[in-house]
Amino acid sequence: MKWNSKILNLKAYQPGKSIEEVKAAFHLDEIHKLASNENPYGYSPKVKDLLDKEGSSTFSYYPDGYSTQLRKEAAEFLGVKPTQLIFSNGTDELLHIISNALLEPGKNTVMANPTFSQYKHNAILEGAEIREVPLINGEHDLDGMLTQINQDTAIVWVCSPNNPTGVYINDEKLQSFLKKVPKDVLVVLDEAYYEYVCADDYYDARVLIQQYPNLIVTRTFSKIYGLASFRIGYGIASEEIIQALEPVRQPFNTNVLAQKVASVALSDQSFVQNCRKLNHEELERFYQFCEKENLNYYPSQGNFILIDFAHDGDEVFSFLLSKGYIVRSGKALGFPTSVRVTIGTKEQNDGVMDAMLEFLKQASMIN
């Protein structure tokens, strides 16, 4: 086969182990999945009502390719024009659309390291040069990223809060950075965990879009809205950017049911606020646990925490897996002695912290 040479050394995205897979492997009856930053509280009761009532009579028709109703409601909620929005099959597709629209051989793209893996993955597919700038204490080195921008730079990726560290960029730092980025370079601000942020000095991306016409903000319904299986995300930008990206989008990329549940989920902000509150409370418990056990961690504004066990991350992952807790080894994320844990319910967090204590006791006996 005459494969594109750019894909030969690429690895497919490796999702976390499934619940059924772990049950079978360890002969366990109960498994808690804390690996993929999903919402442990599920989705809004309003979404459940819709799914209970929804029939299949319309599913034989193609979906509305323009997501008209969702577009209208999202624009009203966000306070932007409908023409400033683009909808996608999860944020992953939108990142691919952006890369496909701007990257090619001879161009480069700038990003932090470690950060969300798909930025680099997409750049490789497009044959662009990748310029990575190491994090500083889990945070983007924005000054360092500016030094990597030149006349061939097409995209700069900024993830706030960053995955996998959970560290955010405050308003002052971000605005200082955006002012210095050349106007012909697109800045992609990935806000997958935006709704979880509790920091007082976090920026308002909707205001920034009006100030910086070279900025696009990406968000998702997969995280706090609890709609990961429906695969729907969106971008907010100037009308000019959206107009340029639309021809790259597949005609019917979001399905009928995804559009409907996203509209309903958006209308239930009390559910979102409650999930944010519970997540923040449980994060504080993890901080206390880490400090008590002398474990290093990054304060997180997402729904996950990266904890350094000073042991091989795969070993910690395997031990917790054997106890029925699926987490993410930090090895694949650029932190070889850490694991990333999704913040679960109080009961789930109690259990995984007990399992972590058991690992630490066992490790100290070996040492």
Side-chain angles (χ1 to χ4, degrees):
M1 295 293 182
K2 298 175 183 177
W3 299 112
N4 185 327
S5 61
K6 294 190 290 290
I7 76 167
L8 297 180
N9 294 316
L10 273 181
K11 293 182 179 179
Y13 179 79
Q14 297 296 315
K17 290 183 178 293
S18 71
I19 289 175
E20 293 307 317
E21 186 181 358
V22 177
K23 278 185 178 180
F26 293 95
H27 307 290
L28 296 170
D29 294 325
E30 189 174 12
I31 301 295
H32 302 279
K33 187 166 180 273
L34 303 174
S36 301
N37 302 340
E38 296 134 331
N39 188 344
Y41 307 105
Y43 43 69
S44 162
K46 292 184 179 182
V47 171
K48 183 179 184 305
D49 290 342
L50 172 70
L51 294 174
D52 289 343
K53 296 173 186 175
E54 189 65 36
S56 60
S57 59
T58 61
F59 295 166
S60 59
Y61 298 101
Y62 284 109
D64 172 8
Y66 195 59
S67 305
T68 305
Q69 187 61 29
L70 174 59
R71 180 180 298 274
K72 176 179 179 293
E73 293 172 3
E76 290 176 356
F77 173 75
L78 295 165
V80 299
K81 297 177 182 177
T83 47
Q84 288 183 267
L85 297 172
I86 184 171
F87 292 90
S88 57
N89 188 252
T91 306
D92 287 334
E93 189 205 21
L94 182 51
L95 302 181
H96 179 75
I97 288 171
I98 293 168
S99 296
N100 193 223
L102 285 144
L103 298 180
E104 60 187 339
K107 292 183 180 177
N108 68 65
T109 179
V110 178
M111 64 194 71
N113 181 35
T115 191
F116 186 49
S117 61
Q118 293 305 105
Y119 311 151
K120 183 175 182 177
H121 184 95
N122 290 331
I124 292 172
L125 287 174
E126 301 301 336
E129 178 194 351
I130 297 158
R131 299 185 167 195
E132 297 178 285
V133 179
L135 299 174
I136 297 177
N137 296 323
E139 184 177 346
H140 283 57
D141 177 7
L142 296 177
D143 290 335
M145 291 172 72
L146 285 170
T147 67
Q148 293 301 307
I149 298 172
N150 66 9
Q151 69 275 8
D152 296 320
T153 305
I155 304 174
V156 176
W157 305 92
V158 178
C159 187
S160 177
N162 186 46
N163 179 10
T165 60
V167 179
Y168 76 107
I169 302 169
N170 67 32
D171 182 65
E172 182 181 358
K173 289 181 180 178
L174 183 59
Q175 292 228 38
S176 175
F177 172 75
L178 291 172
K179 288 174 184 175
K180 298 170 186 173
V181 176
K183 301 308 176 190
D184 62 347
V185 174
L186 182 69
V187 178
V188 181
L189 182 55
D190 185 343
E191 287 194 323
Y193 301 95
Y194 153 74
E195 290 88 357
Y196 283 107
V197 175
C198 295
D200 293 333
D201 57 352
Y202 197 67
Y203 50 84
D204 186 338
R206 297 168 302 176
V207 173
L208 297 182
I209 287 166
Q210 308 307 319
Q211 296 175 330
Y212 304 98
N214 60 328
L215 174 67
I216 183 169
V217 175
T218 65
R219 292 182 182 173
T220 181
F221 285 94
S222 294
K223 302 305 179 185
I224 206 166
Y225 288 102
L227 304 179
S229 288
F230 291 97
R231 309 308 302 129
I232 188 158
Y234 64 98
I236 321 166
S238 68
E239 292 176 287
E240 291 74 19
I241 289 176
I242 299 300
Q243 187 177 16
L245 292 176
E246 279 289 355
V248 189
R249 180 181 62 81
Q250 293 295 312
F252 303 106
N253 62 330
T254 59
N255 67 73
V256 170
L257 206 50
Q259 292 178 25
K260 289 184 177 181
V261 297
S263 289
V264 171
L266 200 62
S267 72
D268 192 357
Q269 288 301 306
S270 62
F271 174 79
V272 171
Q273 292 166 10
N274 187 53
C275 289
R276 181 193 300 117
K277 175 178 175 291
L278 293 170
N279 182 76
H280 182 70
E281 291 172 355
E282 291 302 305
L283 262 174
E284 290 292 335
R285 293 182 61 227
F286 268 102
Y287 298 160
Q288 293 168 14
F289 170 83
C290 290
E291 287 161 11
K292 182 179 178 182
E293 302 304 324
N294 295 314
L295 298 174
N296 291 324
Y297 66 94
Y298 290 108
S300 173
Q301 290 291 327
N303 67 331
F304 56 89
I305 184 170
L306 188 70
I307 304 174
D308 188 350
F309 281 81
H311 287 274
D312 186 295
D314 287 351
E315 290 183 16
V316 184
F317 162 80
S318 296
F319 182 88
L320 296 179
L321 195 64
S322 71
K323 301 298 178 181
Y325 293 92
I326 309 173
V327 300
R328 193 76 185 269
S329 170
K331 264 196 170 179
L333 304 174
F335 293 89
T337 60
S338 299
V339 296
R340 190 191 68 191
V341 186
T342 301
I343 307 303
T345 63
K346 183 179 186 303
E347 292 73 24
Q348 289 174 323
N349 298 333
D350 284 342
V352 77
M353 283 189 269
D354 285 344
M356 288 174 178
L357 277 175
E358 193 174 342
F359 172 83
L360 292 170
K361 289 177 182 176
Q362 179 177 296
S364 65
M365 289 171 59
I366 295 173
N367 293 338

